[in-house]
Amino acid sequence: MPSIIQFGLVIEAILNIVGAIPFVLYPEWCLSFAVATNAETGTPTVPPSSALLWQVYGVLVLALTVPLILCTPDSKAASEKRHIIFTTLLAGEVFIEAILLWHISQPDKSGFTLTSLVLSSLFLLPALSWHAYVTYINPNLVNELSNKSVKKAI
């Protein structure tokens, strides 16, 4: 049976893939819910540059998912790999939260609706909390082995 950390890694990888694919394939559609409406037309207008950056963000999420998948199986170096990955993801999420909170404090300057900024900030909190928990509160989780590996060791 997989360990808690393996279960968490697989769930996170699945959520990342499911979430990032629409970002890459349908950036205008994704952003249409978040961008502020055009004052003249009253409809959201997604600039091509924003769509491109959204696709880049989606690709970065997919790229950061690869190490999650690679460190899921038990190995001698799994705990070190997991620690580096969780620390990296946590740092990125802290910086993204800081940017989102900065823009929440001045929503008229971002081009996004206040609702989308707040929701983005809130949706990032579970991942940030999980990574902070594993990195600083319970770092022994990265050392957990699956039951299969424990039986082999005995």
Side-chain angles (χ1 to χ4, degrees), residues 27-93:
E28 292 88 358
W29 177 77
C30 294
L31 287 171
S32 70
F33 298 102
V35 296
T37 57
N38 184 316
E40 295 172 10
T41 64
T43 59
T45 304
V46 178
S49 57
S50 296
L52 170 65
L53 290 175
W54 197 246
Q55 285 179 309
V56 169
Y57 175 71
V59 168
L60 287 174
V61 169
L62 291 172
L64 288 170
T65 303
V66 172
L68 288 174
I69 294 167
L70 292 175
C71 77
T72 300
D74 291 328
S75 71
K76 290 181 182 179
S79 63
E80 291 85 7
K81 292 175 188 175
R82 292 170 182 168
H83 180 73
I84 290 169
I85 290 164
F86 275 71
T87 304
T88 302
L89 293 173
L90 178 62
E93 289 154 358

Side-chain angles (χ1 to χ4, degrees), residues 134-150:
V134 171
T135 303
Y136 294 110
I137 297 169
N138 192 356
N140 290 328
L141 276 179
V142 296
N143 299 325
E144 277 192 6
L145 300 175
S146 64
N147 287 345
K148 209 183 300 180
S149 293
V150 171

Side-chain angles (χ1 to χ4, degrees), residues 4 10 28 92 115 119-120 148 153:
I4 292 171
V10 169
E28 292 88 358
T115 302
L119 287 175
S120 295
K148 209 183 300 180

